[in-house]
């Protein structure tokens, strides 16, 4: 759900403001966290952060980690550390 991702962005940022590849990574990562409970939360987040590293050399992988971590804490509170 795009609203779930957008709710974890910094104030004043919209999902549409993000670069296309970054949006795709966040959408897929959020889907895996929310809909695929058989994949451990940390594994799911690490997979998508690793993918972000393949496309970005800047702060984007950390951004992906932060957003997906917040989604994971909300969606799987018992699994989040």
């Amino acid at each position: 759900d795009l609203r779930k991702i957008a709710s974890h962005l910094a104030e004043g940022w919209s999902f549409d403001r993000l670069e296309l590849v970054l949006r795709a990574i966040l959408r897929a990562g959020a889907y895996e966290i929310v809909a695929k409970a058989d994949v451990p939360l940390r594994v799911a987040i690490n997979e998508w952060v690793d993918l972000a590293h393949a496309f970005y050399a800047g702060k984007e992988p950390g951004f992906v980690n932060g957003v997906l971590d917040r989604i994971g804490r909300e969606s799987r509170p018992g699994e989040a550390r």
Side-chain angles (χ1 to χ4, degrees):
D1 185 352
L2 298 181
R3 290 179 303 238
K4 183 177 283 293
I5 296 169
S7 72
H8 294 288
L9 298 178
E11 187 175 330
W13 276 80
S14 69
F15 185 74
D16 292 334
R17 187 173 174 188
L18 300 176
E19 193 270 329
L20 182 64
V21 173
L22 194 55
R23 281 187 281 173
I25 291 170
L26 288 173
R27 288 176 93 173
Y31 170 79
E32 186 169 16
I33 290 168
V34 173
K36 299 291 186 178
D38 59 320
V39 178
L41 179 60
R42 289 288 128 208
V43 171
I45 293 172
N46 286 335
E47 287 174 348
W48 295 105
V49 170
D50 287 347
L51 185 63
H53 277 291
F55 286 94
Y56 301 101
K59 297 180 180 181
E60 292 86 350
F63 175 75
V64 168
N65 183 65
V67 172
L68 294 181
D69 184 65
R70 287 189 294 275
I71 291 171
R73 289 176 188 273
E74 180 182 283
S75 300
R76 301 187 196 182
E79 230 183 302
R81 47 179 165 134

